[in-house]
Amino acid sequence: MEKTKLFLDGFAKGFGTIGKTVAEIINFVLLCIIYFVGIGLAYLFTKISGTTLIYLDKKNTKSYYKTQKIGKENIEEYYKQY
Amino acid sequence: MHILGISCFYHDSSAALLQDGKIIAAAEEERFTRKKHDTRFPINAIKWCLEDAGITIEEIDYIGFYEKPLLKFERLMAQHVQMFPRSISMFLHSMPSWINEKLRVQSIIKKKLKYKGDILFVKHHLAHAASSYLASEFKEAAILTVDGVGEWETTTLGSAKDKEITLLKTIDFPHSLGLLYSTATAHLGFSVNNSEYKVMGLAPYGKPVYYDKFKKIIDVKEDGSYALDMSYFVYHYKMIMPSQKYLEELGPTRTADEQVTEHHKNLAASLQKITEDVLFKMLKHLHKITKSKNLCMAGGVALNSVANGKILKNTPFKNIYIQPAAGDGGTSIGVALYIYNTILGNERNYVLRDAYLGPRFESEEIQKFLDENKIKYEKFSNDAELVEKTAKLIYENNVIGWFQGRMEWGPRALGSRSILSNACNPKMQDVLNLKVKHREKFRPFAPVVCVEDADKYFECDKPIPLPTDFMLMVYPIKKEKRKLIPAVTHVDGSGRLQTIRKEQNHLYWGVIKEFGKFSGVPILINTSFNIRGEPIVCTPFDAYKCMMGTGIDYLIIDTFLVKRADNLSDVWDSEKYAKD
């Protein structure tokens, strides 16, 4: 009885590890597809349209500040995650 | 009205509970899980907040989250697209946590807390700004927030009046003073988002000989606005921070076990100097546009106590406020206050004057713990006996674990979960390092002094700003006094002091005063009560475990005195398990 229990526990543990590894491989493959198709296409689009998403270069300007007015908004705006 | 503020999934998860405008409970998740800088959903901190207030989740009117997750996700996607295909490793590393947690914040909150009410999302830097201004005593102020990065912003300049806060100017990712400091921290072989304060402690040993090199890396305008030369960095598309060019310019990355050399000290000094220069320029500009004499600061960079101590001398500001948890952990109180005061328009009725917002344990509970675990102890008959005995033990060069009242809010131990020892003993630094802390030799220990005695020993701003009570200001120690307190005098003659007021913590205040009667100098060493690499202790169990795993001689826990030597059967070696 004890041996059977030990065997079943070990089996379940091993199976769980295999399951986790398989899930990680699938995740990896899916994320690679998303990256090269989704992000890759977006990259091409920005290149073609000349869009800059992040300003990496120093600008020739008097100030690097971006003037904004971030403050109180209507309460509905705070329900949004964006 | 009850509002629960939550900060999580980046670093230093925390929860804070506001009741009718006042923060009544706040704690970081790491103290409960015992995992330093725990990023996970702060379920333990939330449960404790509710329990402490004696309410259930149904009685929460609003939950506030400390950032706008989709805006942050937008910035992350922009990074990946812009840096395609070099950002692949970062994409594979970061996406699982976004898919599983960060994009599901709302459903996670509702599911984990069984919460059916409203959830509001406040921008990260607004939450920072609110955590400082709305917790301050100022009716109007200028605000500076500087950290690694929020959604897009890394630095904001703003102003506040009554209940309203407006951020007027920003600097956006990837240009970030916080990330420059973190990059240098990584380059110096210390852990990012954890050991920046070590770089600050290392700086006084060096000379700023690399200042000009840093000036090539960061272009600073007269108004304090800045841009990084991104060819020196790779953090916008890799899981590491400095680029090859950075290493070519400033030398190879120091490995964690490598000796700290003059070169490393000079790098730290140069970085600290450029950081201060940028901060002072920004603050002068902020004063020019706001005309306010009051300054509120927040964000991880506001934990740079060396720079903070110089602000009032180097800028036109007359008053300063920084709350104890100025980093991301502190945004949970910021979002709660912002909802109550700014969004809902309620009058301000709260000032965060002390950091004692965490769990407390009643005498009966502590005695039960000691009895159940067969721990030998003595009980003090009154406060006077406790104070006198503790001061005497410290004067006799014992290392004391001090566990009293509510746990501190923020990263510093401020007299609730502290290790106390004799600041007058020149060997005390070595004793503490050998017995308990096992720190790098260059790191100083901090002094604690009663506020009324501070200017006898330190060249502090007058009146002494409240952030000094939170160990957020480094000041020079008066030349003639340095030899009296060698254990807390840093190499440049400065001290990262904590000032304490009687009304904040009368026992702690009393021990310092009593020690002054024995030694003639009312100053103690105050360092955090923890095992190396672990968060500060929270419970009596944590405190006892820490004492028995280190070389702490006595534990003063509530009204009980526990002597290590009386309980040797529980001794273990924490250093075998310590991680930094």
Side-chain angles (χ1 to χ4, degrees):
Chain A
M1 194 65 185
E2 192 68 18
K3 278 185 180 172
T4 318
K5 196 176 172 295
L6 260 175
F7 171 77
L8 287 174
D9 283 352
F11 186 77
K13 207 176 161 190
F15 208 73
T17 312
I18 293 169
K20 212 176 151 193
T21 312
V22 170
E24 273 173 15
I25 292 168
I26 293 171
N27 273 348
F28 176 79
V29 172
L30 283 175
L31 284 174
C32 282
I33 293 168
I34 293 168
Y35 185 77
F36 286 106
V37 177
I39 303 287
L41 277 176
Y43 169 77
L44 281 178
F45 179 76
T46 57
K47 282 282 150 196
I48 293 162
S49 62
T51 313
T52 306
L53 299 175
I54 290 183
Y55 290 92
L56 299 174
D57 300 327
K58 290 191 266 187
K59 289 174 274 182
N60 189 13
T61 167
K62 259 185 86 176
S63 174
Y64 291 116
Y65 288 127
K66 198 162 118 184
T67 304
Q68 302 221 42
K69 209 168 181 191
I70 304 170
K72 192 184 171 185
E73 293 174 288
N74 200 311
I75 191 164
E76 278 72 39
E77 292 301 311
Y78 296 100
Y79 286 92
K80 296 175 185 167
Q81 296 189 39
Y82 53 88
Chain B
M1 171 174 276
H2 292 104
I3 299 171
L4 182 69
I6 296 176
S7 153
C8 62
F9 299 144
Y10 189 48
H11 49 84
D12 299 310
S13 293
S14 72
L17 184 63
L18 176 146
Q19 186 179 57
D20 299 329
K22 297 181 171 77
I23 300 292
I24 57 162
E28 289 97 339
E29 181 71 359
E30 62 162 30
R31 306 294 166 89
F32 301 91
T33 60
R34 312 306 304 151
K35 187 184 171 202
K36 213 173 175 188
H37 304 300
D38 202 340
T39 63
R40 292 172 292 182
F41 187 76
I43 188 73
N44 297 290
I46 293 170
K47 278 184 180 166
W48 169 76
C49 282
L50 297 177
E51 201 182 298
D52 189 65
I55 60 167
T56 62
I57 195 71
E58 286 78 29
E59 290 165 81
I60 295 289
D61 298 282
Y62 291 95
I63 287 183
F65 193 69
Y66 82 119
E67 65 179 12
K68 298 254 189 192
L70 291 181
L71 273 185
K72 198 172 188 177
F73 189 66
E74 174 197 54
R75 188 253 301 161
L76 199 74
M77 285 298 108
Q79 276 174 252
H80 291 310
V81 171
Q82 180 99 357
M83 302 315 296
F84 181 87
R86 288 182 290 174
S87 56
I88 179 134
S89 62
M90 193 186 187
F91 182 86
L92 295 173
H93 184 270
S94 65
M95 274 309 115
S97 73
W98 274 97
I99 295 163
N100 294 326
E101 292 172 337
K102 296 173 187 171
L103 290 173
R104 298 175 51 233
V105 167
Q106 190 149 326
S107 62
I108 288 174
I109 291 174
K110 294 206 166 196
K111 199 172 159 191
K112 289 210 185 243
L113 301 179
K114 298 187 174 57
Y115 177 70
K116 295 186 179 71
D118 294 343
I119 302 173
L120 304 182
F121 296 85
V122 173
K123 278 187 148 193
H124 184 78
H125 278 263
L126 262 185
H128 267 316
S131 78
S132 185
Y133 173 68
L134 295 174
S136 78
E137 59 189 344
F138 304 141
K139 299 289 171 228
E140 57 78 30
I143 303 176
L144 178 72
T145 67
V146 193
D147 71 356
V149 60
E151 290 89 1
W152 279 93
E153 296 82 12
T154 64
T155 301
T156 72
L157 280 67
S159 68
K161 194 163 192 280
D162 300 328
K163 299 170 269 182
E164 306 270 330
I165 296 172
T166 311
L167 304 181
L168 304 163
K169 295 188 178 192
T170 68
I171 293 174
D172 287 355
F173 184 85
H175 306 287
S176 165
L177 190 60
L179 290 176
L180 168 66
Y181 213 96
S182 292
T183 303
T185 301
H187 178 234
L188 287 168
F190 303 115
S191 50
V192 170
N193 288 335
N194 178 39
S195 301
E196 279 76 2
Y197 64 98
K198 292 185 186 175
V199 178
M200 189 181 74
L202 183 62
Y205 289 91
K207 294 189 180 79
V209 295
Y210 299 113
Y211 180 73
D212 287 338
K213 292 201 174 186
F214 274 105
K215 275 182 92 173
K216 273 167 50 185
I217 295 173
I218 180 167
D219 182 31
V220 189
K221 300 288 185 194
E222 262 320 292
D223 62 1
S225 65
Y226 62 85
L228 300 180
D229 180 339
M230 292 310 294
S231 62
Y232 288 94
F233 304 92
V234 291
Y235 60 70
H236 48 303
Y237 62 92
K238 274 188 176 177
M239 298 308 293
I240 52 171
M241 302 194 79
S243 71
Q244 194 53 40
K245 190 173 170 185
Y246 187 103
L247 303 182
E248 280 162 15
E249 196 77 32
L250 296 169
T253 300
R254 175 184 162 265
T255 54
D257 50 1
E258 198 181 324
Q259 212 182 353
V260 174
T261 63
E262 280 307 303
H263 169 67
H264 302 125
K265 293 170 187 171
N266 292 340
L267 279 172
S270 310
L271 173 75
Q272 182 63 28
K273 183 169 165 47
I274 197 103
T275 303
E276 288 171 15
D277 283 359
V278 179
L279 281 174
F280 299 155
K281 278 187 175 176
M282 279 198 286
L283 289 169
K284 282 174 190 163
H285 180 68
L286 178 62
H287 181 266
K288 199 172 153 190
I289 59 173
T290 62
K291 307 274 186 283
S292 177
K293 59 180 184 184
N294 305 319
L295 170 67
C296 289
M297 282 177 67
V301 178
L303 290 170
N304 192 314
S305 47
V306 173
N308 294 345
K310 298 175 184 170
I311 285 175
L312 297 186
K313 286 184 189 76
N314 287 279
T315 70
F317 289 104
K318 301 284 176 226
N319 306 301
I320 183 169
Y321 182 80
I322 308 167
Q323 62 114 345
D328 276 3
T331 51
S332 56
I333 70 162
V335 69
L337 288 165
Y338 191 80
I339 292 171
Y340 185 82
N341 295 126
T342 309
I343 300 178
L344 302 175
N346 294 300
E347 287 307 316
R348 290 172 65 193
N349 59 357
Y350 175 71
V351 177
L352 198 163
R353 290 188 189 278
D354 67 57
Y356 309 124
L357 292 169
R360 72 176 306 154
F361 297 85
E362 299 301 329
S363 280
E364 300 74 39
E365 213 176 337
I366 293 169
Q367 187 160 18
K368 194 175 162 218
F369 162 77
L370 296 171
D371 290 338
E372 280 180 358
N373 291 285
K374 298 184 173 54
I375 297 165
K376 290 182 186 140
Y377 64 89
E378 287 171 36
K379 190 171 177 7
F380 294 112
S381 51
N382 55 46
D383 286 354
E385 191 196 353
L386 185 156
V387 163
E388 196 192 332
K389 176 80 177 172
T390 308
K392 192 161 183 280
L393 288 171
I394 296 171
Y395 182 63
E396 289 164 354
N397 294 313
N398 290 292
V399 177
I400 306 295
W402 176 257
F403 186 106
Q404 299 290 337
R406 298 190 74 161
M407 187 181 72
E408 299 90 343
W409 165 243
R412 304 276 96 88
L414 300 170
S416 281
R417 307 288 187 270
S418 288
I419 291 173
L420 305 177
S421 57
N422 186 349
C424 305
N425 180 349
K427 291 184 183 149
M428 212 59 214
Q429 234 177 345
D430 292 335
V431 172
L432 271 175
N433 268 330
L434 187 74
K435 285 187 168 181
V436 194
K437 305 300 281 188
H438 308 280
R439 284 174 165 186
E440 295 89 348
K441 267 205 148 306
F442 64 82
R443 289 173 57 197
F445 283 98
V448 55
V449 59
C450 299
V451 72
E452 57 273 24
D453 296 325
D455 67 355
K456 292 177 200 152
Y457 294 88
F458 299 89
E459 289 170 18
C460 12
D461 295 309
K462 285 175 198 162
I464 294 172
L466 204 49
T468 318
D469 295 5
F470 311 141
M471 219 192 260
L472 286 169
M473 314 289 272
V474 169
Y475 291 118
I477 298 171
K478 288 188 171 171
K479 271 194 183 136
E480 66 276 17
K481 303 288 184 187
R482 289 176 190 170
K483 58 182 183 302
L484 296 176
I485 42 173
V488 290
T489 303
H490 202 15
V491 65
D492 60 348
S494 68
R496 190 180 63 172
L497 73 157
Q498 179 204 354
T499 43
I500 184 78
R501 294 159 212 260
K502 193 176 182 184
E503 64 272 21
Q504 289 170 332
N505 188 336
H506 74 281
L507 283 179
Y508 187 42
W509 181 91
V511 169
I512 299 162
K513 284 283 186 194
E514 194 66 23
F515 177 80
K517 288 183 194 161
F518 285 115
S519 67
V521 182
I523 295 175
L524 299 178
I525 295 178
N526 165 31
T527 186
S528 54
F529 194 168
N530 64 321
I531 291 166
R532 187 164 70 88
E534 274 195 10
I536 295 173
V537 300
C538 177
T539 64
F541 170 77
D542 300 335
Y544 182 69
K545 184 182 160 203
C546 179
M547 175 172 82
M548 300 315 293
T550 61
I552 293 172
D553 300 302
Y554 292 87
L555 172 64
I556 315 284
I557 179 165
D558 197 72
T559 52
F560 306 97
L561 171 70
V562 184
K563 189 177 176 185
R564 187 173 193 271
D566 288 345
N567 295 282
L568 291 175
S569 58
D570 291 338
V571 164
W572 64 292
D573 182 8
S574 66
E575 267 308 289
K576 278 188 185 164
Y577 308 94
K579 288 182 285 187
D580 192 16

